[in-house]
Amino acid sequence: MALTQITGSGISGVTVGNFITMVDMFRLTANQSGGTNAVITANFERVDDASFSQIGTGMTESSGIFTFPTTGLYHVTYTGFIRANNDPNAMLYAQVSSNSGGAFDDVGLVNAGEGSSADAVTTVTNHFYVNVTNASTFQVRFGTSSMGSGSQVEADTNQNYTSFSFVRIGDSQ
């Protein structure tokens, strides 16, 4: 039985209309070569598949730095499609800054390393929350770490190999 009506007076503690107001997703369009081991600064595109629809203003991306459109509590998910070749530590990381990029905190790390000599292709996912209390100062960036010369983060412009999603789930805390 669904709740269809509330009547009476003195009702408190009920939040109405606090719904998801922002959803956005980006992907890499070009492989990140092994041995780079740095912040990813290029080759991001907003997902443009017919099945995707952004909600709200969306994120802003410039040179690999993602900024938030408004304050709020955000759920961020990143998925890396990583090819490792005799590389025990092929990693993709996430960092957040609350002071306009003055300093970044490590908030996530995924490792798709493979110690054998054969290619190993692995998809790894991690997620974290960002309590954005000032939209003009909070930033997120992603990068590679400990990747050998035979490894890379795979990308594609037509489908999500390596992707980054952002969902505003509520007000800042």
Side-chain angles (χ1 to χ4, degrees):
M1 178 177 186
L3 178 63
T4 59
Q5 183 180 21
I6 298 175
T7 59
S9 61
I11 297 173
S12 63
V14 177
T15 302
V16 177
N18 191 9
F19 301 102
I20 292 174
T21 57
M22 201 284 299
V23 173
D24 206 356
M25 185 175 224
F26 288 77
R27 64 179 161 221
L28 284 180
T29 60
N31 296 345
Q32 301 298 301
S33 299
T36 304
N37 297 319
V39 173
I40 302 169
T41 60
N43 304 309
F44 290 98
E45 75 170 2
R46 180 169 276 120
V47 171
D48 55 3
D49 300 322
S51 62
F52 175 74
S53 182
Q54 172 187 328
I55 296 174
T57 302
M59 300 293 288
T60 301
E61 183 272 327
S62 178
S63 299
I65 301 293
F66 292 86
T67 56
F68 297 88
T70 185
T71 61
L73 181 62
Y74 288 82
H75 183 216
V76 181
T77 304
Y78 63 105
T79 299
F81 185 51
I82 300 175
R83 179 177 303 277
N85 189 331
N86 194 24
D87 186 357
N89 293 308
M91 299 181 197
L92 183 64
Y93 65 81
Q95 296 179 318
V96 172
S97 174
S98 61
N99 62 357
S100 302
F104 280 88
D105 294 325
D106 296 326
V107 294
L109 179 70
V110 292
N111 185 353
E114 169 59 50
S116 71
S117 60
D119 269 353
V121 179
T122 306
T123 301
V124 288
T125 298
N126 203 346
H127 62 98
F128 56 94
Y129 295 92
V130 183
N131 185 31
V132 178
T133 56
N134 184 338
S136 65
T137 62
F138 276 74
Q139 302 175 344
V140 173
R141 68 183 185 185
F142 303 92
T144 59
S145 178
S146 299
M147 293 186 73
S149 61
S151 299
Q152 65 184 15
V153 177
E154 304 263 323
D156 193 289
T157 189
N158 296 313
Q159 57 189 321
N160 295 343
Y161 279 20
T162 300
S163 61
F164 312 87
S165 68
F166 305 86
V167 178
R168 185 183 183 277
I169 59 173
D171 295 334
S172 60
Q173 304 298 303

